[in-house]
Amino acid sequence: MIRIAFAFLLLILSCCNNQQAENNSINSDPTYFLGADLSYINEMEDCGAVYLNSQGEPQDPYVIFSEAGANLVRLRLWHSPGWTNYSNLEDVKKSISRAKKAGMKVLLAFHYSDDWADPNKQDVPGDWLPFVDATTQLSDALYLYTYNVLKELHSLNLLPDIVQVGNEINAMILQRPGELKPIDWKRNAALLNRAIKAVRNFSATTGDKVGVMLHIAQPENALWWFKEAKENGVIDFDFIGISYYPKWSDKSLQGLGDAITTLKNMCHKEVMVVETAYPFTLNGQDEANNILGEDSLEDEFPATQDGQLAYLNTLHKTVKDSGGSGVLYWEPAWVSTSCATRWGKGSHWENAALFDFFSKPTKAMLWFRNHKE
């Protein structure tokens, strides 16, 4: 009788574990993610950028990151960005293909906008503007778009491993351009859950599991946002993504670690820092103003290549010790070129890239290799 009861208990535990693995999809993989957002590379290369490996030889930057130890590439996707030929679906296909060829997994960040989406801007795509105030119609458009993008990528063997449902969605998603209303959680939850449902239904139909991430800028905002999301029924996701830049955060690195632990205990999800960066110099290579200047520095990390590496090593330790699942560097290949981006000629990020002004990797590229598992 005891043996039968024990066998029954093992069966129950097995079922529970299988169900948990089924629900968690990619996060059942114990891999710790070390990665980078490489959305700018296609544009930079078209503008003449050349990336050198540690031996000083030109090499495919995706291969440079893969050989350095990166295992996840993040890519942004805009709906219909008429102002650029990049980060649309065709450009993303090219990028995913390059990432997969280099042996890395892919995190696809749906911005659900024709332009940058962030805490101060969550503009609905122009095609969806006619029904921005009709939640049912808007949620249908969101569902179909999400599902059909995954379907098209799947047909080309370019399916991402994780998708972000929105980008830095501190504010309510899919708002009228120029507006930034307080979160109406009935509307917000309906839209987010509909997008998540598209991913879940796609996975169920194809049998190919795609993880779902919700992404908030800065850990102090993630604490209140995920509490409110949970209270309003937004619970079916796998990953919490956080942007962490000391310049824009109230939290120290220790505070970030505490927030990660709190979020894991509150939501029972994997937590990753999916955006961060640190300057290796305060100088610029062109006339474009640097976004990360002196006000972005922490006392213990000078604006040097050693300081950049030390920041990433310390951040990595903080995230991992707190139970986090990975760190991704934002736009390490946004180097200076003769082309103009949205804000002017050159790069506003070249002093925070992981390539120096001579196109060689900075010392911080060692961060991937130092922590590769």
Side-chain angles (χ1 to χ4, degrees):
M1 180 64 70
I2 293 176
R3 183 176 298 174
I4 294 173
F6 181 68
F8 182 67
L9 176 61
L10 288 178
L11 177 62
I12 292 175
L13 291 174
S14 175
C15 290
C16 290
N17 288 335
N18 288 340
Q19 183 64 45
Q20 183 179 13
E22 179 79 9
N23 290 340
N24 287 346
S25 58
I26 191 173
N27 62 332
S28 62
D29 183 343
T31 299
Y32 184 92
F33 292 104
L34 295 170
D37 192 311
L38 302 183
S39 301
Y40 260 130
I41 281 183
N42 294 340
E43 183 173 1
M44 295 299 98
E45 288 182 326
D46 287 347
C47 289
V50 175
Y51 299 93
L52 306 181
N53 59 25
S54 58
Q55 287 75 47
E57 301 168 343
Q59 191 171 22
D60 181 337
Y62 281 85
V63 174
I64 292 175
F65 280 96
S66 178
E67 291 185 348
N71 58 15
L72 182 65
V73 171
R74 182 172 178 255
L75 301 165
R76 61 177 166 267
L77 174 62
W78 290 315
H79 185 277
S80 300
W83 57 276
T84 179
N85 294 320
Y86 300 95
S87 291
N88 57 24
L89 185 54
E90 291 307 308
D91 181 60
V92 163
K93 290 176 184 176
K94 179 180 177 181
S95 299
I96 293 177
S97 178
R98 297 180 72 178
K100 287 182 174 288
K101 184 177 179 180
M104 295 180 285
K105 294 183 177 181
V106 174
L107 164 58
L108 180 61
F110 283 91
H111 278 233
Y112 295 131
S113 181
D114 297 332
D115 207 332
W116 298 92
D118 58 43
N120 297 310
K121 185 180 179 185
Q122 292 288 328
D123 290 354
V124 66
D127 290 349
W128 302 351
L129 185 57
F131 33 89
V132 68
D133 297 318
T135 303
T136 299
Q137 289 177 275
L138 188 60
S139 65
D140 287 345
L142 182 61
Y143 178 95
L144 289 173
Y145 170 68
T146 305
Y147 192 98
N148 287 336
V149 166
L150 294 178
K151 182 179 178 181
E152 185 169 349
L153 293 175
H154 182 262
S155 71
L156 299 171
N157 294 317
L158 297 176
L159 188 66
D161 300 279
I162 311 171
V163 296
Q164 259 184 228
V165 175
N167 188 74
E168 294 189 329
I169 53 174
N170 304 40
M172 181 167 60
I173 66 170
L174 299 173
Q175 298 200 46
R176 191 177 296 278
E179 290 187 348
L180 198 65
K181 296 180 178 179
I183 297 178
D184 173 350
W185 270 109
K186 182 178 180 181
R187 177 184 186 272
N188 211 41
L191 293 171
L192 290 172
N193 282 333
R194 189 78 164 131
I196 293 169
K197 188 68 173 176
V199 182
R200 298 306 194 205
N201 285 351
F202 173 83
S203 292
T205 299
T206 63
D208 293 300
K209 301 303 180 183
V210 179
V212 174
M213 175 180 287
L214 298 178
H215 173 213
I216 298 296
Q218 312 310 337
E220 60 269 28
N221 296 318
L223 291 170
W224 65 258
W225 193 95
F226 281 99
K227 178 178 182 294
E228 293 184 10
K230 183 177 181 180
E231 291 169 349
N232 286 276
V234 181
I235 56 175
D236 184 20
F237 57 95
D238 307 300
F239 294 91
I240 290 173
I242 300 174
S243 296
Y244 179 68
Y245 300 96
K247 175 178 179 176
W248 295 299
S249 180
D250 296 337
K251 298 288 187 184
S252 64
L253 281 167
Q254 180 58 53
L256 168 67
D258 293 341
I260 289 173
T261 301
T262 299
L263 288 165
K264 283 186 64 69
N265 291 336
M266 177 173 65
C267 300
H268 306 290
K269 310 295 183 182
E270 301 300 317
V271 184
M272 297 168 57
V273 170
V274 295
E275 286 191 29
T276 195
Y278 203 82
F280 66 87
T281 179
L282 295 181
N283 296 324
Q285 193 175 4
D286 52 43
E287 296 180 0
N289 293 329
N290 295 332
I291 295 174
L292 296 185
E294 189 170 0
D295 58 350
S296 66
L297 299 181
E298 298 291 286
D299 291 340
E300 62 269 46
F301 309 118
T304 63
Q305 291 198 25
D306 288 323
Q308 187 185 50
L309 175 58
Y311 168 79
L312 285 173
N313 285 336
T314 304
L315 174 65
H316 166 87
K317 186 177 189 306
T318 298
V319 172
K320 193 158 191 180
D321 288 352
S322 303
S325 300
V327 176
L328 281 71
Y329 199 95
W330 193 77
E331 291 295 2
W334 184 11
V335 296
S336 181
T337 71
S338 60
C339 289
T341 60
R342 187 69 174 275
W343 306 277
K345 183 178 178 179
S347 170
H348 296 271
W349 205 253
E350 79 271 27
N351 72 315
L354 294 184
F355 294 88
D356 65 20
F357 295 169
F358 301 98
S359 303
K360 292 188 66 175
T362 68
K363 290 182 180 179
M365 192 70 81
L366 293 171
W367 164 67
F368 296 105
R369 183 172 289 109
N370 288 346
H371 304 291
K372 183 179 180 180
E373 296 181 345

